[in-house]
Amino acid sequence: MKRLVYIQLLLFVALSAYSQRALKYETCVMKDEVKTLRVRYADTTQPERPILTLGSDEQLEVSFDELTHDTRNYTYTLIHLNADNTQSSLTTSEYLSGFTTLDITDYVTSFNTQQLYTHYSFLFPNDDMLPMVSGNYALKIYEDGDPENVVAYVCFSIVEPLAGIDVNVRGNTDIELAGRYQQLDIDVSFKDMNIVNPTNDITLLVRQNGRTDNEVMNPKPTFVESNRLRYINQKQLIFEAGNEFRHFDIASQYFKGYNVDRITFDRNYYHAFLFPDEVRAESPYLTEYDANGQCVVHAEKVEDDDTEADYMWVHFLLPTANPWFTGGVYVSGDLTYNSFTADNRMQYDNEHKAYVLSLYLKQGGYDYQYLLLEKGKNKATTLPIEGSHWQTQNEYTVYVYYHPFGSRADRLIGVKKL
């Protein structure tokens, strides 16, 4: 009997460890009252998806709002991840110097806003918590000292720039010429590294506009040289080109910004109704400036956007004669953390003959697009709603990871943004 209990205990521990390793981390919010989770380079207001350099003085500013003036006790810790954003097998002492947990002590209540909220923020890395190795990371934010009471995850990367990366994006792909797709040719060189088995030790990851659903993980190199890998004419590196992002401006509660039809106030909330959007699948390509899905918090005539910008219900409207899309229609971009959840899935309104969604957003400027996630698939598509054009200006980020035989984690040895 004791032997059976012992075996069951070992099995439970093993399954728990496997489950922990198999969990894929993504930037997300786990509490309804928490809004506007942002991660950016410290001391800048420019929208940019940050990547830190190991050993540099660069810092991230992580911030979020909770919709109350009652303050909470929040703590964060750091988790080292593999290339696929699952937890690595490194112990905290192997990747972290200093404390393993820190409290968030910097918070300010909102001022002169209809929606009361408390703005929390912290800088990372800092003198009390310093990562020692490169790779992917997740900051886990939780409440009341309970690691199971998770409020949010923030994912980011730290690179040790050892590899050289050249990238070329072309519209003439291996499946279509100047059509709906873009293909990447990538050249990775290792001049100062002795990599014994590059095909097994090197992992390549490519992301488009910060999305993870359509990321390409570990394509096979076309040519392998002693100090170089070349990925040429690889069908795995073909992406839907998509279309330029749509955008709107809600910096003012009183004047209609770009793409805003009207603004109302119902004694409790501001409401911004966007102009009805058109399905662009059959429309010609039009050049338009966008921020590749990013957003910025900003309010007119205030001194501090973080604590004086208000919140609005933003109403999206996508008219179609019938709910003919075979799957879920989602409002995507950094405003929804590029996720596919019930919070950003649109519903079909038979009265208005349109897909509708309302999001509670802080004042500012936002990029967005409509993605279709078909049933049974993990990768969304732009084709039925946004269309796809090879001329589209996209942001591609190439990550190069190194995992030599015997090591227990993926080092990030190169990053290239295009």
Side-chain angles (χ1 to χ4, degrees):
M1 183 65 179
K2 290 182 178 180
R3 181 179 177 83
L4 178 61
V5 172
Y6 178 71
I7 293 174
Q8 289 176 335
L9 179 61
L10 286 179
L11 181 61
F12 173 77
V13 171
L15 289 174
S16 298
Y18 174 79
S19 175
Q20 185 180 42
R21 288 197 302 270
L23 174 64
K24 184 173 181 177
Y25 290 84
E26 294 183 350
T27 297
C28 63
V29 171
M30 312 287 285
K31 185 178 181 181
D32 291 340
E33 293 79 14
V34 170
K35 302 292 183 183
T36 320
L37 174 65
R38 291 190 295 163
V39 54
R40 57 183 177 176
Y41 288 115
D43 301 323
T44 181
T45 59
Q46 297 299 317
E48 185 176 356
R49 300 180 180 99
I51 296 172
L52 299 180
T53 302
L54 185 67
S56 72
D57 294 330
E58 297 169 337
Q59 282 186 300
L60 302 176
E61 181 183 0
V62 180
S63 64
F64 59 91
D65 298 336
E66 179 157 18
L67 303 184
T68 177
H69 271 185
D70 297 331
T71 57
R72 312 293 190 198
N73 297 317
Y74 287 122
T75 304
Y76 64 91
T77 188
L78 187 67
I79 304 170
H80 188 266
L81 308 178
N82 296 312
D84 61 357
N85 269 19
T86 58
Q87 186 170 353
S88 76
S89 59
L90 295 182
T91 63
T92 53
S93 61
E94 292 178 289
Y95 65 82
L96 186 61
S97 172
F99 295 98
T100 58
T101 63
L102 287 175
D103 294 331
I104 301 176
T105 58
D106 190 355
Y107 54 86
V108 184
T109 56
S110 62
F111 174 72
N112 200 29
T113 58
Q114 177 66 24
Q115 172 63 63
L116 302 181
Y117 62 87
T118 304
H119 181 75
Y120 296 84
S121 64
F122 62 92
L123 297 179
F124 184 89
N126 50 61
D127 293 338
D128 295 320
M129 187 181 288
L130 186 67
M132 299 186 296
V133 299
S134 65
N136 294 349
Y137 284 93
L139 284 164
K140 176 181 176 181
I141 303 171
Y142 54 92
E143 189 174 355
D144 293 334
D146 180 5
E148 300 301 318
N149 190 9
V150 181
V151 172
Y153 290 105
V154 173
C155 293
F156 64 98
S157 299
I158 299 179
V159 62
E160 46 181 323
L162 300 175
I165 306 172
D166 290 320
V167 185
N168 177 54
V169 180
R170 52 188 169 92
N172 291 333
T173 72
D174 289 352
I175 60 174
E176 197 174 76
L177 300 180
R180 300 166 295 173
Y181 300 95
Q182 293 173 343
Q183 185 165 356
L184 277 65
D185 294 325
I186 303 172
D187 192 301
V188 182
S189 59
F190 316 98
K191 295 181 180 179
D192 300 320
M193 299 183 66
N194 182 24
I195 299 180
V196 178
N197 192 348
T199 54
N200 289 333
D201 296 348
I202 296 297
T203 297
L204 196 73
L205 172 67
V206 184
R207 285 191 182 140
Q208 181 195 61
N209 301 327
R211 289 170 56 183
T212 58
D213 64 294
N214 66 339
E215 67 184 14
V216 175
M217 170 69 75
N218 205 22
K220 299 304 178 184
T222 313
F223 302 103
V224 180
E225 303 174 9
S226 60
N227 63 350
R228 188 166 74 159
L229 296 177
R230 302 184 67 193
Y231 302 80
I232 309 296
N233 298 327
Q234 281 288 350
K235 288 187 177 181
Q236 290 176 278
L237 292 173
I238 296 177
F239 291 80
E240 284 183 3
N243 211 333
E244 305 298 349
F245 279 80
R246 308 171 194 253
H247 34 272
F248 62 88
D249 180 359
I250 53 170
S252 173
Q253 306 104 309
Y254 311 108
F255 301 99
K256 297 184 296 183
Y258 182 84
N259 200 30
V260 177
D261 183 21
R262 65 187 188 278
I263 295 175
T264 64
F265 181 69
D266 64 2
R267 296 186 180 182
N268 293 307
Y269 302 104
Y270 291 100
H271 295 264
F273 295 86
L274 304 185
F275 283 107
D277 284 315
E278 296 180 354
V279 174
R280 302 190 290 181
E282 303 300 327
S283 301
Y285 173 77
L286 295 176
T287 302
E288 187 171 358
Y289 173 79
D290 66 6
N292 294 316
Q294 298 177 94
C295 51
V296 61
V297 171
H298 173 64
E300 290 186 348
K301 300 179 180 179
V302 303
E303 294 183 1
D304 186 353
D305 293 320
D306 289 335
T307 57
E308 295 180 64
D310 219 320
Y311 276 81
M312 294 185 181
W313 280 106
V314 179
H315 303 279
F316 299 82
L317 187 70
L318 180 66
T320 61
N322 298 292
W324 57 271
F325 298 120
T326 57
V329 177
Y330 294 84
V331 174
S332 183
D334 285 10
L335 79 170
T336 57
Y337 314 110
N338 291 292
S339 62
F340 300 92
T341 68
D343 292 335
N344 64 313
R345 179 170 178 166
M346 306 188 80
Q347 301 297 321
Y348 191 79
D349 187 326
N350 285 299
E351 179 182 351
H352 294 92
K353 301 295 181 184
Y355 283 89
V356 297
L357 179 71
S358 298
L359 295 176
Y360 201 43
L361 300 175
K362 203 170 186 177
Q363 285 181 270
Y366 293 84
D367 272 11
Y368 69 101
Q369 63 181 352
Y370 297 109
L371 295 182
L372 175 67
L373 185 62
E374 297 177 338
K375 294 179 180 178
K377 294 188 177 181
N378 297 320
K379 181 169 69 173
T381 176
T382 65
L383 290 171
I385 305 175
E386 301 291 1
S388 189
H389 308 274
W390 68 270
Q391 305 99 318
T392 302
Q393 302 292 314
N394 289 301
E395 177 191 272
Y396 289 99
T397 308
V398 178
Y399 302 79
V400 178
Y401 298 90
Y402 179 44
H403 192 130
F405 179 77
S407 66
R408 296 186 294 113
D410 295 318
R411 294 166 55 187
L412 180 58
I413 61 172
V415 175
K416 179 75 171 184
K417 282 188 181 182
L418 191 68

